[in-house]
Amino acid sequence: MARRMWRAGNAAATWIYRRTGGRIGGRARGGSPVLLLTAPGRSSGQPHTVPVAYIERGGAYYLAATAGGQPKEPQWIRNLRATDTATIQVGSRQMPVAVEVLQGAAREAGWHDFVTTYPNFAPYEQKAGRRIAIARVTPTR
């Protein structure tokens, strides 16, 4: 039941974001900006779109798979591990991106950026009991 409600909430947020070009739904509770990420499902290959908070650095977008501090990581990060391309929408602008799920020092630096920029992210790792995965998506055009 909770999973269905989460999906319905994401679907509604995605619809509103698209209709308003991100004017509504373009910021998360803690003030972090939000983009729409569309990636193929790792099993189905069908595109799935979810709103995700991000940090922009050097023309790339960094995404933290916090799931609000839930123990299970979000499906979108699992889908990103299975692909090397996706699409994002930032505001009203859509663009194809190259995908990289960060490891080692790059992952640590990405997570540090999130908790420094948005301190409300800091408790998520402890709350979730897992390392929060960080993905870098870089526009290809």
Side-chain angles (χ1 to χ4, degrees):
M1 177 67 129
R3 188 174 176 178
R4 274 192 255 169
M5 290 184 69
W6 187 272
R7 282 187 189 170
N10 278 344
T14 297
W15 185 86
I16 292 168
Y17 189 109
R18 283 188 172 144
R19 295 299 180 272
T20 67
R23 288 185 308 279
I24 300 174
R27 292 254 171 220
R29 266 188 243 149
S32 56
V34 171
L35 57 74
L36 296 181
L37 169 68
T38 303
R42 64 192 178 284
S43 298
S44 70
Q46 296 299 309
H48 296 279
T49 302
V50 293
V52 182
Y54 71 90
I55 294 175
E56 184 179 4
R57 298 282 189 269
Y61 298 86
Y62 291 78
L63 316 176
T66 63
Q70 296 300 306
K72 284 183 72 173
E73 66 182 5
Q75 293 295 320
W76 63 260
I77 194 70
R78 294 176 183 179
N79 291 340
L80 290 186
R81 285 189 184 108
T83 189
D84 55 1
T85 62
T87 304
I88 60 171
Q89 180 176 337
V90 181
S92 59
R93 202 171 113 213
Q94 290 189 7
M95 59 198 104
V97 292
V99 172
E100 180 183 6
V101 178
L102 302 178
Q103 302 293 322
R107 182 263 170 215
E108 296 302 320
W111 180 244
H112 182 264
D113 263 0
F114 264 96
V115 299
T116 301
T117 306
Y118 300 108
N120 60 309
F121 277 68
Y124 286 148
E125 276 196 334
Q126 185 172 3
K127 181 180 175 187
R130 61 179 171 84
R131 293 180 62 78
I132 302 298
I134 305 292
R136 177 175 49 220
V137 296
T138 308
T140 56
R141 63 174 164 120

